[in-house]
Amino acid sequence: STLAMINRLLTEREPVAKWLDEQHPGVRFTDSEWKKMEVMRSMLRPCEEVCKLLGGEKYVTASVVLPACAYLKKQMTVTEDDVGYERRFKEAFYADLISRLNNIDSNANLQVATALDPRFKHLKAVPKTQREQVWSLISQLLTDALDGPADQMDAASPPSKKPRQQINKFSLDSDTDDDENGVSNFCQAK
C-alpha cells in the first residue's frame, strides 16, 4: 500500500503540487522529497514482486519461498552507494525481515520444494552447509517411498522404477553461482 501511494503521488506530481498550493499555501514537497519518494519506490518494488509471486494461485509457490526471501535479503543489504535514509530503511527492513523469517532457510519442506524446482536446483537460497543434506534427504525420501513396508505395497502393481531414474537428473554439483537473479527473472516472467 505504501508503494501504491508513492506511485500515485509520483504519477500525479503536478496536480498534487497544484492542489497543495491552492488548499495549503506554503506547504509543498521539495525536490529532494520527490527524489526520496522515487528512491523509496525503487527500494519497495522488490517487495511488490515477491508479494505478487508468492500470492499466485495458478502455479506452485512453495519452491519459490526460499529464493524469494534470499532475493529480498540481497535487495535490502546496505551498499556503499546508499545515502543516510536509504541505509536506515534497508537496515530496519532487513532486521525486521530476519526476525520474521526465523530460520526459514532451514525449513526442510521448503528446501526440498526448492531443490525439486528445476529453476532453483543449485540451491543458491539454501546455506552452503545444508545443500548436501537437502539432496541426501530427497534421496532418502525416494528410497523410503520405493522400499516402504511390504504391507503398503499393492502386489498386483510393482513400484515404478521411474523415480530412481529421475534422481540422476538432480546434480549435486553447481556449475555456476550466477543464479542470483533467478527470482527477479521469474517475477518478471509472471
Side-chain angles (χ1 to χ4, degrees), residues 60-176:
V60 177
T61 57
S63 64
V64 185
V65 171
L66 295 180
C69 290
Y71 172 70
L72 275 181
K73 287 179 191 175
K74 183 177 182 205
Q75 295 299 312
M76 293 302 160
T77 300
V78 176
T79 65
E80 292 178 11
D81 298 335
D82 293 338
V83 293
Y85 67 92
E86 287 177 280
R87 182 177 303 269
R88 287 188 301 275
F89 177 82
K90 285 182 175 182
E91 287 171 348
F93 188 98
Y94 191 89
D96 187 59
L97 183 65
I98 296 300
S99 71
R100 290 173 186 264
L101 295 180
N102 197 19
N103 295 325
I104 197 170
D105 298 346
S106 299
N107 182 302
N109 291 329
L110 293 177
Q111 289 176 338
V112 168
T114 301
L116 295 177
D117 188 324
R119 297 168 296 181
F120 308 116
K121 67 184 176 190
H122 297 294
L123 296 176
K124 305 293 186 213
V126 174
K128 287 181 181 181
T129 58
Q130 296 178 13
R131 291 177 186 171
E132 184 73 30
Q133 294 168 351
V134 173
W135 292 114
S136 295
L137 176 60
I138 291 171
S139 179
Q140 185 61 46
L141 289 170
L142 286 173
T143 301
D144 291 349
L146 292 175
D147 300 333
D151 61 334
Q152 291 181 354
M153 296 285 194
D154 182 7
S157 60
S160 169
K161 297 290 183 189
K162 195 172 184 179
R164 282 194 194 269
Q165 293 168 352
Q166 287 182 343
I167 197 162
N168 293 331
K169 289 183 183 179
F170 304 113
S171 171
L172 296 177
D173 299 329
S174 175
D175 295 337
T176 178

Side-chain angles (χ1 to χ4, degrees), residues 8 10 25 31 68 104 127 190:
R8 186 72 173 163
L10 290 170
D31 288 339
I104 197 170
K190 291 290 171 197

Side-chain angles (χ1 to χ4, degrees), residues 6-7 17 158 166 178 186:
I6 290 172
N7 278 333
Q166 287 182 343
D178 295 340
F186 182 71

